[in-house]
Amino acid sequence: MNQYQIAIDGPAASGKSTVAKLVAKKLGACYVNTGSMYRAVALAALNAGINPASEPDKIAASLASWNIESVPDGEGSTSVVLNGVPIPAAALRTPEVSNAASDVAKIPAVRAYMLELQRACRSLGLIIMEGRDIGTVVLPDATAKFFVTASPEERARRRLAQTGEVAEGATLASVAAEIARRDFQDSHRAIAPLKPAEDAETIVTDGMTPEQVADRIITTFEQKRK
Ligand code: CDP
């Protein structure tokens, strides 16, 4: 089994996914988006009429009946399957689900469930795993760790450009506020908060192309793997 892993963490809309996918493509590795797994729990909760912010106990109690799997999609990535049914990517990326994902991500039972699911992805071989706590908690022994970020303005611009991911009539200011609120919640929670691992390389991606960021990640990874 290939024991190499690349961990990429960072705040919302920092461009992590684009870069992680590119790195996976260039290395022939498997890309794993852990945010999608939290989003799947959020969607299951919303579909069940549970309020993710005020009813954490109901979510913890329902977890055993929601079978969430991360399945290789045959194209170098994984897709999330809920109770045997693949969830369309667009259903996971709505603004309602983004906010609910940050709410469910605070629940200890949800994080314990995810830890197991995400660590099991090591069996996929060389993986590029992206999230908030990959370098700090999920894969503390990853070969190379990165904290990919960008200025709040740049991140708001990037998110606003992603059709379907922002509310109708959203503005740069409203998107920036929504991202700031979610990052604050993600950085201040008790378990596995968003923060760079001590041994992570921080990359501020303002003014960089995804290609440049991916190449920098690969250069560091190749050095560390030796
Ligand atoms: O794509 P974007 O950066 O907006 O978000 P995402 O990576 O899909 O993550 C959605 C939410 O899931 C985050 O705001 C976190 O609350 C949570 N999450 C987490 O707690 N830990 C992870 N490893 C990944 C995501």
Side-chain angles (χ1 to χ4, degrees):
M1 188 169 62
N2 193 323
Q3 298 296 330
Y4 299 118
Q5 295 124 14
I6 298 179
I8 302 180
D9 291 303
S14 57
K16 318 180 284 303
S17 302
T18 308
V19 163
K21 272 186 222 161
L22 198 52
V23 171
K25 195 168 159 208
K26 285 174 177 246
L27 293 176
C30 186
Y31 163 64
V32 183
N33 179 338
T34 61
S36 297
M37 302 180 196
Y38 288 94
R39 288 170 180 272
V41 173
L43 188 64
L46 293 173
N47 287 346
I50 302 175
N51 182 324
S54 62
E55 299 181 308
D57 294 349
K58 279 196 188 170
I59 291 178
S62 304
L63 268 181
S65 63
W66 296 332
N67 182 30
I68 294 168
E69 295 166 284
S70 183
V71 178
D73 66 1
E75 292 171 21
S77 184
T78 55
S79 52
V80 182
V81 176
L82 174 64
N83 294 334
V85 183
I87 311 179
L92 291 178
R93 304 288 321 174
T94 65
E96 293 75 25
V97 171
S98 299
N99 287 327
S102 183
D103 292 331
V104 305
K106 290 195 289 188
I107 305 170
V110 172
R111 298 215 75 88
Y113 180 100
M114 290 299 165
L115 197 57
E116 210 171 306
L117 192 65
Q118 292 163 7
R119 285 194 176 153
C121 292
R122 289 179 294 190
S123 68
L124 297 171
L126 173 58
I127 53 171
I128 318 301
M129 189 176 278
E130 176 221 318
R132 300 291 186 286
D133 61 338
I134 310 309
T136 51
V137 176
V138 181
L139 302 175
D141 298 326
T143 319
K145 302 179 184 179
F146 301 89
F147 194 78
V148 171
T149 186
S151 65
E153 303 74 36
E154 177 63 23
R155 292 191 285 121
R157 265 196 297 277
R158 288 178 187 170
R159 183 51 39 102
L160 194 59
Q162 288 169 306
T163 332
E165 298 201 13
V166 292
E168 284 252 327
T171 61
L172 200 57
S174 71
V175 172
E178 192 283 315
I179 288 176
R181 195 196 66 76
R182 186 148 60 92
D183 285 344
F184 184 87
Q185 173 155 288
D186 289 345
S187 312
H188 290 82
R189 66 179 171 227
I191 312 172
L194 164 68
K195 66 172 178 193
E198 274 178 18
D199 49 351
E201 177 177 330
T202 293
I203 307 178
V204 182
T205 61
D206 291 74
M208 289 176 84
T209 64
E211 193 80 18
Q212 287 171 325
V213 183
D215 287 345
R216 180 155 155 199
I217 288 175
I218 291 171
T219 302
T220 299
F221 169 67
E222 298 292 5
Q223 280 163 1
K224 299 232 174 196
R225 158 155 97 159
K226 280 185 194 146

Short mmCIF file of all heavy atoms in Angstrom, two decimals, residues 71-79:
data_model
loop_
_atom_site.label_atom_id
_atom_site.label_comp_id
_atom_site.label_asym_id
_atom_site.label_seq_id
_atom_site.Cartn_x
_atom_site.Cartn_y
_atom_site.Cartn_z
N VAL A 71 -16.76 7.03 -1.97
CA VAL A 71 -16.50 5.96 -2.93
C VAL A 71 -15.69 6.49 -4.12
O VAL A 71 -16.03 7.54 -4.66
CB VAL A 71 -17.87 5.41 -3.44
CG1 VAL A 71 -17.67 4.31 -4.47
CG2 VAL A 71 -18.69 4.89 -2.26
N PRO A 72 -14.62 5.77 -4.52
CA PRO A 72 -13.86 6.22 -5.69
C PRO A 72 -14.78 6.33 -6.90
O PRO A 72 -15.61 5.45 -7.13
CB PRO A 72 -12.83 5.10 -5.90
CG PRO A 72 -12.74 4.40 -4.60
CD PRO A 72 -14.07 4.53 -3.93
N ASP A 73 -14.67 7.45 -7.65
CA ASP A 73 -15.61 7.66 -8.77
C ASP A 73 -15.04 7.21 -10.11
O ASP A 73 -15.65 7.46 -11.16
CB ASP A 73 -16.06 9.13 -8.83
CG ASP A 73 -14.90 10.06 -9.16
OD1 ASP A 73 -13.76 9.58 -9.36
OD2 ASP A 73 -15.14 11.28 -9.22
N GLY A 74 -13.85 6.59 -10.08
CA GLY A 74 -13.26 6.11 -11.32
C GLY A 74 -12.57 7.21 -12.11
O GLY A 74 -12.00 6.98 -13.17
N GLU A 75 -12.62 8.44 -11.61
CA GLU A 75 -11.97 9.56 -12.31
C GLU A 75 -10.96 10.24 -11.40
O GLU A 75 -10.72 11.44 -11.50
CB GLU A 75 -13.03 10.58 -12.76
CG GLU A 75 -13.93 10.05 -13.84
CD GLU A 75 -15.10 10.97 -14.15
OE1 GLU A 75 -15.02 12.17 -13.82
OE2 GLU A 75 -16.08 10.48 -14.71
N GLY A 76 -10.40 9.49 -10.48
CA GLY A 76 -9.37 10.04 -9.61
C GLY A 76 -9.90 10.86 -8.45
O GLY A 76 -9.18 11.61 -7.81
N SER A 77 -11.20 10.72 -8.19
CA SER A 77 -11.78 11.46 -7.08
C SER A 77 -12.71 10.51 -6.32
O SER A 77 -12.84 9.34 -6.69
CB SER A 77 -12.53 12.66 -7.66
OG SER A 77 -13.03 13.46 -6.63
N THR A 78 -13.34 11.01 -5.27
CA THR A 78 -14.33 10.18 -4.58
C THR A 78 -15.65 10.94 -4.57
O THR A 78 -15.67 12.17 -4.58
CB THR A 78 -13.93 9.92 -3.11
OG1 THR A 78 -13.71 11.14 -2.45
CG2 THR A 78 -12.67 9.05 -3.01
N SER A 79 -16.75 10.19 -4.59
CA SER A 79 -18.03 10.87 -4.43
C SER A 79 -18.71 10.34 -3.18
O SER A 79 -18.38 9.26 -2.69
CB SER A 79 -18.91 10.71 -5.67
OG SER A 79 -19.01 9.36 -6.01
#
